[in-house]
Amino acid sequence: SFSCKGNKRYRYYVCGTAMQKGWSECPAPSVPAGEIERFVIEQIESIGTNEDLLNQTIGQIESRSTQQRNNLEAERKALQRQLRSDHEKLRAIAANASNNGRVVGLPELQTRIDAADDRLKAIAGELESLESQAIDTADVRRLLIGFEELWQNVPPREQVRLTSLLIDRVEFDGVEGNVGITFHD
């Protein structure tokens, strides 16, 4: 939230409990936005200065990418097996139709084949996209180590977008004065 005094604007975060049940129900009903935001940015910057945390972050990025690729490859293989089976059924239907002139189950089978073909094309595109978006660990290392400089050169609107991509939520314990940050996976 914010308030104005003259030409000066004061930004702050308000406790959800205070908003719902009243200011007296919260030990710290509001905190200055600048202080919390500075702390959050310092924590992001600390990733680049802590070698263990930096390596963990890079490892998670690589692991997530590998997992996505493996999931897509497994889905692709399952679809290819399904297509082989469906094409065999299609040949059997065609052979059976030539013997007795009746075609049973052909529309459903053709729909499954078309859907599998479409999904295979989509998977190929997703795999290609994953490869083109592959994150170079050296780039990640440079960006996180130089986060402070990057942060100072990014316009405020992009700073908001960047933090929302990195951070799931920030919690402030008014009693203890602790700030908890939960990063997105």
Side-chain angles (χ1 to χ4, degrees):
S1 188
F2 68 92
S3 63
C4 296
K5 190 172 188 179
N7 289 337
K8 183 88 169 145
R9 179 183 240 182
Y10 298 92
R11 295 181 319 105
Y12 53 94
Y13 291 96
V14 178
C15 174
T17 302
M19 288 174 41
Q20 292 173 355
K21 298 180 180 179
W23 286 70
S24 62
E25 297 296 315
C26 187
S30 69
V31 292
E35 290 178 31
I36 294 290
E37 291 165 358
R38 261 189 304 284
F39 178 78
V40 169
I41 297 311
E42 287 170 3
Q43 297 311 300
I44 295 171
E45 289 171 354
S46 74
I47 294 171
T49 59
N50 181 322
E51 194 64 30
D52 289 338
L53 193 53
L54 182 60
N55 289 333
Q56 285 179 3
T57 301
I58 290 170
Q60 284 181 357
I61 291 169
E62 290 172 339
S63 174
R64 176 95 36 193
S65 181
T66 300
Q67 185 64 43
Q68 284 179 305
R69 192 176 308 104
N70 290 345
N71 290 346
L72 287 169
E73 289 290 347
E75 184 181 0
R76 183 175 61 111
K77 287 178 183 177
L79 283 168
Q80 288 171 333
R81 281 192 303 273
Q82 175 197 322
L83 274 174
R84 280 192 297 276
S85 173
D86 287 349
H87 282 290
E88 287 175 20
K89 290 176 187 173
L90 190 59
R91 283 189 286 280
I93 288 172
N96 203 14
S98 64
N99 292 339
N100 63 22
R102 288 187 7 220
V103 177
V104 178
L106 185 60
E108 295 85 8
L109 191 55
Q110 190 60 53
T111 300
R112 271 177 49 117
I113 289 171
D114 291 344
D117 282 338
D118 289 345
R119 181 61 189 142
L120 280 172
K121 288 176 189 167
I123 288 172
E126 289 177 44
L127 285 168
E128 188 177 308
S129 177
L130 268 177
E131 292 304 317
S132 70
Q133 294 175 9
I135 296 173
D136 180 8
T137 57
D139 287 342
V140 171
R141 185 175 295 280
R142 269 192 307 280
L143 284 171
L144 289 173
I145 289 172
F147 186 81
E148 182 177 0
E149 182 182 341
L150 168 73
W151 184 256
Q152 292 172 356
N153 291 311
V154 173
R157 183 169 289 201
E158 288 301 309
Q159 288 177 343
V160 170
R161 191 169 95 69
L162 181 58
T163 52
S164 68
L165 289 171
L166 294 172
I167 296 174
D168 182 34
R169 73 179 173 274
V170 176
E171 297 175 352
F172 177 69
D173 179 348
V175 175
E176 298 291 324
N178 295 327
V179 178
I181 301 172
T182 305
F183 288 90
H184 286 292
D185 289 343

